[in-house]
Amino acid sequence: MAEEERDTERGSSMDSTESRWVFQEDEDASEIDDFDGDSPMIDSEDEENGEHRLIRTGPRIDSFDVEALEVPGAHRSDYEDISTGKRIVLVFQTLGVVFGDVGTSPLYTFSVMFRKAPINGNEDILGALSLVLYTLILIPLLKYVLVVLRANDDGEGGTFALYSLICRNAKVSLLPNQLSSDTRISGFRLKVPSPELERSLKIKERLETSLTLKKILLLLVLAGTSMVIANGAVTPAMSVLSSVNGLKVGVDAIGQDEVVMISVAFLVILFSVQKYGTSKVGLFLGPALFIWFCSLAGIGIYNLVKYDSSVLRAFNPIYIFYFFARNSTKAWYSLGGCLLCATGSEAMFADLCYFSVRSVQLTFVFLVLPCLILGYLGQAAYLMENHADAGQAFFSSVPSGAFWPTLLIANIAALIASRAMTTATFSCIKQSTALGCFPRLKIIHTSRKFMGQIYIPVINWFLLAVSLVFVCSISSFDEIGNAYGIAELGVMMMTTILVTLVMLLIWQINIIIVLSFAVVFLGLELIFFSSVLWSVTDGSWIILVFAVIMFLIMFVWNYGSKLKYENEVKQKLSMDLMRELGCNLGTIRAPGIGLIYNELVKGIPGIFGHFLTTLPAIHSMIIFVSIKYVPIAVVPQSERFLFRRVCQKSYHIFRCIARYGYKDVRKENHQTFEQLLMESLEKFIRREAQEKSLESDRNDDSSSEDEYSGSRVLIAPNGSVYSLGVPLLADFTETNIPIFEASTSEDVNPQFPNPPVLDAEQSLERELSFIRKAKESGIVYLVGHADIRARKDSWFMKKLVINYFYAFLRKNCRRGIANLSVPHSHLMQVGMTYMV
């Protein structure tokens, strides 16, 4: 990986020296899959077969540390062991990125509420204030800060982070590329047996065996993500328009048209500076937002002292009952406006990848929440004596001497709020892309130190265009506020459902606590949702249309990718064919290494047969390379590459699965990737030879060979049992290996069926020498582009989705090979079309 990636790797916080509980399969081999003692073919296609049982193992050994029998330490978080000064900087960045959305809610919350439920007396103000206070306490504080933020995936937040947690603990992904070896990555963790674990295992079994539940879970995740993206479009429109609208209070000549024009200019500036990154912009805007929160608190205290401090009675929830008793239906309508005080709660979770959980929690509890409460109390105190100013509650309550500075800082805060959801959108799209639910796009990493900070140009300008449409076509506060509520509530409800599943499946806590969380928060959000959905015909339906479009894009991409992968599995070449072709593969083996890129993680891809029949010669060494994203945030560098032999040693064919987490940065060029890959291949071959030697020594020392035949474990001096990174080779004798042709790396003398150790060492050095010579001859990237088309007898909707929608997305998405910047002289591409 690039140097900056090495600095930013994160992994499990579990101590590498402690034992752990894992699921073992009856036929389980190691990371390199099963070797069949009766067959020289190495690549097994039945990795998932076999029953599971829970066993306890010793400390885990990483893939490439077997030679020294070392147990590597846990990987540290980006935010551990930082100085006090950097922590202060981090707090300002947290303010500038995470809390901008929820921090600007006082600009419009009361204005929208009292447009739907006009003030008929001071009791209405107290009731509305009580609603706002308890909404702030229940949703942002209790639900998100205290519960949902704990459901992060190694510091990553958002709906897809929750989905990855669930996928890691249960095989619920619809894409059939899971390997049992993935569970040996140190990021996978399981708890010790307990009654809660038994319940968790039952839920896990139910999820894994029900295709309907898998589809429902995926649809929920896609729906939540589409709402996050829609939120990223409507948040800038709402925040900027509400702040600029304050000009109407200060300047009588300013009308709605002028407000719209100024808002458009601000939005263009906002999205133009997005490319400079979260750290740079967040550090610059963090102090500005700190001043904004202090201004909220200061204005609130001033109004409490000057007007009416009796609004503190609103902490008594009885005023909520009085509010609904006095206003009935209008009070229910106003719930959509009340929810706006909690907007930005999801941004706290989705933006978690940029900062640590503790920094977000402490900043919200000790700074953000107190300032917001004081701000709302101050507005309510002002309205107790000025009912007519309810339409512009915030700016009307600002003291005249502080109006223009407050207006300036409010506009800056609105721009920051817009960035909060934009960065959250970038994070969610990157996660969904890695998990196969969004077309690949160009992603720019804006920080060398924190790899979660990203910028996606296409999405940035797309969100700008949609925001401009909202501002120009829907300029009414009520309509935009209603659209805002729909988007926010949609993702809130999906988060509640997914966190409930995480509680049951992963946290394994008491069922009463889980049910209480689900009933209270899902019930509360459904009540709010019923309010905003009732007014959907007033123009806010546009946000639903936009969310449905994003949902369809993700669904079509996932559906097409799944069909494509399943078809490639069906079209893979059989091992019998490889045996018939022989070690020369029925063609000429030219010096060099061919890296064949394909998505298959098991078996020989059908595109390889196309290469054999199309090209006049094939390289002396073939490596099938599969770039695979696993459902964890980061894969440690030492566990990145997974190697295995595909055929006999004389074929010189290997499989390499390069595993990445959805937070990993793929910034390496092709030279760096080649170097890492070849180093890992040499380690694999040396480890293979070492284990063969270990197996031979053990068989010599054992009084009963049959008892240990086929073992896949290593007993350490302390008695711990280690699963080795490659299978043991006891079943393979040199007599099983045929006499090699001239293109092979070694010759076998049939007179010595059991060669001495010296011959084994010579054989190892010859193979390594063969690899080095092949590398010196050159490495060529053989990329197979497989497209799919619906069969003629397919139903109409399938033809429409596959032949037009999915084809359009594939044509316009970013090619996976683009990340390596491979020069055209080293690249060969072959296309195939599958009928599905």
Side-chain angles (χ1 to χ4, degrees), residues 46-100:
D46 302 318
E47 187 172 353
E48 273 82 23
N49 293 340
E51 298 180 358
H52 294 75
R53 61 179 182 271
L54 200 62
I55 64 168
R56 187 163 187 156
T57 67
R60 186 187 184 284
I61 294 184
D62 276 350
S63 306
F64 301 129
D65 290 336
V66 176
E67 298 162 60
L69 295 181
E70 296 177 352
V71 179
H75 300 271
R76 296 188 305 172
S77 170
D78 291 340
Y79 304 100
E80 293 178 0
D81 300 333
I82 61 176
S83 64
T84 303
K86 289 184 178 180
R87 288 185 184 276
I88 296 174
V89 171
L90 192 61
V91 169
F92 278 116
Q93 289 181 340
T94 306
L95 280 175
V97 175
V98 178
F99 297 110

Side-chain angles (χ1 to χ4, degrees), residues 757-776:
V757 176
L758 181 61
D759 288 347
E761 294 177 355
Q762 291 177 348
S763 174
L764 171 63
E765 291 304 321
R766 287 175 183 172
E767 185 167 15
L768 293 177
S769 175
F770 178 85
I771 293 175
R772 297 186 186 108
K773 290 180 181 178
K775 183 182 178 182
E776 292 173 359

